[in-house]
Amino acid sequence: MSAEVEEMLKHFHSMKNVAGIVVIDNDGIPIKSTLEHTLSVHYAATMQTLLEKARQVVLDLDATNELSFLRMRTLYHEIMLCPKADYFIVVIQNPSE
Amino acid sequence: MSAEVEEMLKHFHSMKNVAGIVVIDNDGIPIKSTLEHTLSVHYAATMQTLLEKARQVVLDLDATNELSFLRMRTLYHEIMLCPKADYFIVVIQNPSE
């Protein structure tokens, strides 16, 4: 998993306006992060509950369907959730000027 | 509200590959829909719980922030949630070829 995670981190780092990246395992523990610890833990906990809800809603509408990506736009930034089998990646992106 | 909803519907209808649009009030009732009734009610109920969760998560991370848009990619289609003050709009879009 580690090499794959490193590849993903490199990929997301190369994106424009990325303010932070957190890689979170399926227990909700941040295993890699460019944010400081407290914020990483906060993102991990909140984003895990959101990811669970989104997955459940997609399954609820069609039991053969599956969530592959989620993006939220907020007043201050965009938050992307990229679910993988054993972990998921949160990317926080500042709006482009 | 009605004229604004009609404008939004026209706007989303003009987008490519749109498979369905449901306008849902804050009580979770579908007030306009291009889908058949049962499916509209199902989308309304599930998407309202997801929207609530997403709004709560955004507020939880920063009490001055606010969700403005949510998009999910799934195996079969994309689902967009566009929250307004008194209602929200769900747009289901087929992937572009």
Side-chain angles (χ1 to χ4, degrees):
Chain A
M1 175 175 116
S2 184
E4 187 190 326
V5 170
E6 293 297 338
E7 261 321 295
M8 299 283 283
L9 278 180
K10 246 191 261 176
H11 168 72
F12 286 120
H13 254 308
S14 70
M15 284 168 59
K16 270 180 77 174
N17 304 315
V18 167
I21 304 171
V22 191
V23 182
I24 299 151
D25 73 11
N26 283 341
D27 297 320
I29 312 287
I31 49 175
K32 282 260 181 193
S33 181
T34 65
L35 303 177
E36 55 95 8
H37 182 67
T38 316
L39 199 55
S40 303
V41 171
H42 202 173
Y43 266 98
T46 52
M47 291 304 147
Q48 202 199 19
T49 66
L50 179 62
L51 182 63
E52 263 167 39
K53 171 59 88 178
R55 277 177 158 153
Q56 175 197 316
V57 152
V58 169
L59 274 179
D60 214 38
L61 285 162
D62 180 343
T64 70
N65 202 0
E66 199 181 294
L67 178 74
S68 46
F69 191 73
L70 186 149
R71 178 192 283 263
M72 287 191 291
R73 199 188 307 146
T74 73
L75 288 184
Y76 305 144
H77 43 242
E78 298 217 1
I79 303 172
M80 283 160 276
L81 300 187
C82 185
K84 300 281 161 184
D86 301 323
Y87 61 95
F88 68 100
I89 301 176
V90 177
V91 179
I92 303 128
Q93 196 172 23
N94 290 321
S96 47
E97 280 90 52
Chain B
M1 176 176 114
S2 185
E4 189 189 325
V5 171
E6 293 297 339
E7 260 323 293
M8 300 284 284
L9 279 179
K10 245 190 263 176
H11 167 73
F12 287 119
H13 255 308
S14 70
M15 284 167 60
K16 271 180 76 175
N17 303 316
V18 167
I21 304 170
V22 191
V23 182
I24 299 151
D25 73 11
N26 284 341
D27 297 321
I29 311 288
I31 50 177
K32 283 258 180 194
S33 181
T34 65
L35 303 176
E36 56 95 7
H37 182 68
T38 315
L39 198 55
S40 303
V41 170
H42 201 173
Y43 266 98
T46 52
M47 292 302 148
Q48 201 198 21
T49 67
L50 179 63
L51 183 63
E52 262 167 39
K53 171 57 90 179
R55 278 178 157 152
Q56 176 198 315
V57 153
V58 169
L59 274 180
D60 216 36
L61 285 163
D62 181 343
T64 70
N65 202 0
E66 199 181 294
L67 178 75
S68 45
F69 191 75
L70 186 149
R71 177 192 284 263
M72 287 192 291
R73 199 188 308 146
T74 73
L75 288 183
Y76 305 145
H77 44 241
E78 299 218 2
I79 303 173
M80 283 161 275
L81 300 187
C82 186
K84 300 281 162 184
D86 301 323
Y87 60 95
F88 67 101
I89 301 177
V90 177
V91 179
I92 303 127
Q93 197 173 22
N94 290 322
S96 46
E97 280 92 52

